[in-house]
Amino acid sequence: MSGIVIAGVSRIFGTVRAVDNITLTVAQGEFFTLLGPSGCGKTTLLRMIAGFSDLDGGEISIGGQRIDKLAAHRRDIGMVFQNYAVFPNLSVAGNVAYGLKARRVPPPEIAARVEEALSLVQLSGFGDRQPHQLSGGQLQRVAIARALVIRPQVLLFDEPLSNLDARLRVSMRGEIRALQKSLGITAIYVTHDQEEAMSVSDRIAMMNAGRLEQVGAPVEIYRKPATRFAAEFMGTTNLVEARMLGLAAPVSVSLRPEALRFAEEAPADWPRLSCVVESLEMLGPITRLDARLANGTTVRMATLDTPSLSVQAGQAVTLAYDPARLTVVA
Ligand SMILES: Nc1ncnc2c1ncn2[C@@H]1O[C@H](COP(=O)(O)OP(=O)(O)O)[C@@H](O)[C@H]1O
Ligand SMILES: [Mg+2]
């Protein structure tokens, strides 16, 4: 059992409540992501789970055992950092063996486990290489092998892909997800990139200023954001004030750009909006379009590439939106 329970956990630096009374449960084998902007407390929470930072309040348990008072090396947790943290003066095998030597595992077993860990990250035969001979993606694989070799119950990742180029980030995130699922290990993954979070996670905890904004499956947060912050951080959206029948105060409503279409292509019962195209961005499969309503509000639309339509900036167009995709946010 390696489910993680985080109960009322806080960390305060001077006047900054870096992590402010967070309560979360991560299921065994789950790929769980902490998502939020820089400075929202993701790394601090991860470091408390790993044992690199004390708690100012709350408790953390893994598999029913309280761990927040244990030394880091006794927690059965592997951690992968953003900057790889690979030792430059050790070979690849030396790096991967490091945690086993520290745990006094006998040398013959070390050799076998290093080879096994390297093969898991597709670096079989790379043991004798020096770190400076490796690419960024290979270095990050070494860091993952080093975390896996201790056979931890839990694997923590702190923005592991942010030093890699865009294409490699996309392929590595798929590899990490596949490896995590094949090993059945419980993972907590930190990123500020909403697309990365959506692509790898079973569930996401969205954080804002040390607190939880919303916890849910990627599609839940994307389609039913609870707050304005969640709606805007999880992709692009249109936030508008709307009056609802029976309610005195206006409410905020989120409408995703892909819930809008050109009127010609929309069902007849979708509400229409007359507007003027402000700008267009052709991104290959989709085109993004900003359009201004008569009241001055800009609405954003995203539409699949439609060669039959030619629309230009300055042109008057009628858009329509799917009313079922309006979501009231707090
Ligand atoms: N050791 C520290 N001393 C003082 N302030 C810190 C320390 N570590 C983090 N902070 C502050 O705590 C907040 C959360 O930081 P962090 O957990 O690194 O956020 P994130 O990883 O989401 O970018 C920030 O305001 C940061 O400046
Ligand atoms: Mg961080």
Side-chain angles (χ1 to χ4, degrees):
M1 278 299 295
S2 59
I4 305 169
V5 178
I6 296 166
V9 166
S10 293
R11 181 71 171 139
I12 297 151
F13 297 111
T15 58
V16 177
R17 303 185 76 86
V19 172
D20 192 0
N21 192 19
I22 284 196
T23 295
L24 274 179
T25 301
V26 179
Q28 156 134 20
E30 190 171 25
F31 200 120
F32 192 91
T33 295
L34 304 174
L35 171 68
S38 177
C40 73
K42 306 179 297 294
T43 293
T44 303
L45 181 54
L46 211 61
R47 288 172 54 83
M48 289 191 286
I49 300 166
F52 302 135
S53 173
D54 290 334
L55 281 65
D56 290 320
E59 294 184 8
I60 302 173
S61 306
I62 298 182
Q65 302 290 316
R66 188 159 170 196
I67 56 133
D68 56 85
K69 300 269 197 269
L70 291 179
H73 69 274
R74 301 200 40 224
R75 292 190 186 194
D76 209 4
I77 290 176
M79 183 148 170
V80 179
F81 300 89
Q82 171 176 350
N83 55 5
Y84 322 132
V86 165
F87 303 117
N89 53 329
L90 293 180
S91 68
V92 166
N95 266 281
V96 177
Y98 190 84
L100 297 178
K101 284 188 179 148
R103 286 169 174 77
R104 303 190 188 286
V105 172
E109 187 183 336
I110 290 184
R113 282 174 64 174
V114 165
E115 204 37 56
E116 178 195 61
L118 286 175
S119 106
L120 281 174
V121 297
Q122 292 157 47
L123 283 181
S124 292
F126 280 70
D128 293 334
R129 304 263 184 114
Q130 296 301 310
H132 70 87
Q133 297 172 301
L134 303 185
S135 69
Q138 290 169 330
L139 284 171
Q140 196 50 285
R141 287 202 181 91
V142 173
I144 295 169
R146 196 174 51 182
L148 285 175
V149 80
I150 62 165
R151 295 179 183 153
Q153 292 189 67
V154 172
L155 208 45
L156 307 178
F157 295 90
D158 193 359
E159 312 231 13
L161 307 181
S162 46
N163 287 340
L164 305 178
D165 66 57
R167 238 172 237 277
L168 196 53
R169 277 207 299 276
V170 170
S171 64
M172 285 280 300
R173 74 191 187 198
E175 280 182 33
I176 288 176
R177 160 98 190 170
L179 188 59
Q180 182 266 345
K181 286 294 165 211
S182 73
L183 296 174
I185 218 165
T186 306
I188 301 186
Y189 188 95
V190 160
T191 180
H192 64 270
D193 179 332
Q194 59 94 12
E195 186 189 293
E196 191 173 298
M198 291 197 76
S199 84
V200 296
S201 311
D202 294 313
R203 282 190 307 151
I204 295 172
M206 187 174 291
M207 291 178 67
N208 179 18
R211 292 169 162 270
L212 288 182
E213 196 77 15
Q214 186 171 2
V215 181
V219 287
E220 279 167 30
I221 302 183
Y222 187 77
R223 293 186 186 156
K224 295 277 174 226
T227 63
R228 296 171 65 98
F229 178 89
E232 290 196 295
F233 198 80
M234 200 70 154
T236 306
T237 200
N238 296 290
L239 283 173
V240 288
E241 297 281 293
R243 295 209 165 262
M244 304 269 281
L245 278 175
L247 285 181
V251 293
S252 294
V253 171
S254 165
L255 183 68
R256 295 289 183 197
E258 67 276 17
L260 288 143
R261 289 194 202 153
F262 291 111
E264 300 88 310
E265 304 185 299
D269 59 345
W270 287 15
R272 263 51 185 171
L273 301 167
S274 296
C275 33
V276 174
V277 176
E278 280 183 324
S279 62
L280 284 159
E281 209 182 6
M282 207 304 189
L283 299 172
I286 65 160
T287 299
R288 289 188 185 285
L289 177 150
D290 284 1
R292 198 172 53 252
L293 302 176
N295 70 5
T297 308
T298 296
V299 293
R300 300 162 132 190
M301 178 172 89
T303 174
L304 285 171
D305 183 35
T306 319
S308 62
L309 282 176
S310 69
V311 176
Q312 279 154 17
Q315 188 176 330
V317 290
T318 304
L319 303 182
Y321 64 87
D322 182 353
R325 293 173 77 176
L326 287 172
T327 309
V328 176
V329 294

